[in-house]
Amino acid sequence: LGDVYKRQVLPIHAAHSVDEFSCRLLGVQQELPNALALGRALQGAILKDVGPAMRSSVGVAPNKLLAKIAAELEKPSGINWLHPSVMPGKIAHLALKDIPGISKRMMMRLERAGINDVSRLYQMTPKEARWLWGNVTGERVLRELHGETVIWPRKQNQSLGHAVSYTHLRAHET
């Protein structure tokens, strides 16, 4: 799936699983109308080349976390965007468990600390997040939630760059 779209629409920056990948947007691609058009082109290429059984949702945002959340907002075949200017309002309706990086165990810690919703999570300071998570991951998640580009340590099969915008695609079989 990835090679076809790399040639046709835009290069894949990172494959997160067999049905989920991110594309790094550069220059004028980062302008919202252009980014959304690229997302629609990606969805169109999947529809044309794979067929209607494989639907896809696309998220456009300044980092991978927000792009992933944006894609999840319009499942299974929509397109959405997130930007710090609309945060946290645009995701305030989500449950804490809907935020990538918040496990069931982490949710319990947050709730014990009086953080019961996304709006309150968003109000935390990076220092508070680091303390609650017990490590730097909390600070990184919070900074990404605020739209910052965070450089995560490289994993063997993953690389992160200094991108300003990402398109995140999630394919869904019907």
Side-chain angles (χ1 to χ4, degrees):
L1 190 71
D3 287 339
V4 171
Y5 306 107
K6 185 174 185 177
R7 289 190 310 270
Q8 289 184 3
V9 182
L10 65 152
I12 294 171
H13 179 66
H16 308 292
S17 69
V18 70
D19 67 346
E20 191 171 349
F21 56 90
S22 296
C23 302
R24 188 173 162 191
L25 304 181
L26 303 170
V28 296
Q29 293 174 329
Q30 295 175 4
E31 295 171 12
L32 186 58
N34 298 336
L36 294 173
L38 282 168
R40 286 190 287 279
L42 192 55
Q43 288 175 313
I46 291 170
L47 180 64
K48 177 182 170 263
D49 294 340
V50 181
M54 182 67 72
R55 297 181 293 174
S56 59
S57 54
V58 174
V60 174
N63 62 48
K64 289 187 346 182
L65 176 69
L66 289 181
K68 181 175 178 71
I69 294 169
E72 295 294 315
L73 290 173
E74 295 295 330
K75 280 174 60 172
S77 56
I79 186 166
N80 209 329
W81 61 275
L82 288 173
H83 184 269
S85 65
V86 297
M87 297 293 289
K90 196 166 178 179
I91 64 167
H93 67 283
L94 296 177
L96 289 172
K97 67 181 174 74
D98 296 330
I99 305 298
I102 299 184
S103 64
K104 193 182 284 188
R105 188 178 201 178
M106 189 65 240
M107 226 171 64
M108 291 178 359
R109 278 189 194 173
L110 290 168
E111 288 172 353
R112 279 195 305 268
I115 298 161
N116 298 306
D117 59 40
V118 171
S119 294
R120 177 61 187 104
L121 175 68
Y122 194 83
Q123 293 170 0
M124 289 177 64
T125 67
K127 187 175 181 177
E128 288 173 317
R130 186 185 280 243
W131 182 82
L132 275 173
W133 260 260
N135 58 44
V136 71
T137 300
E139 180 177 344
R140 289 177 178 148
V141 168
L142 184 67
R143 287 187 182 281
E144 283 194 334
L145 200 57
H146 280 261
E148 293 180 35
T149 298
V150 173
I151 306 302
W152 289 78
R154 289 186 82 168
K155 293 182 182 175
Q156 205 166 21
N157 62 349
Q158 177 185 25
S159 97
L160 294 173
H162 296 277
V164 175
S165 295
Y166 284 90
T167 295
H168 186 89
L169 179 117
R170 179 77 190 251
H172 311 277
E173 287 189 60
T174 55

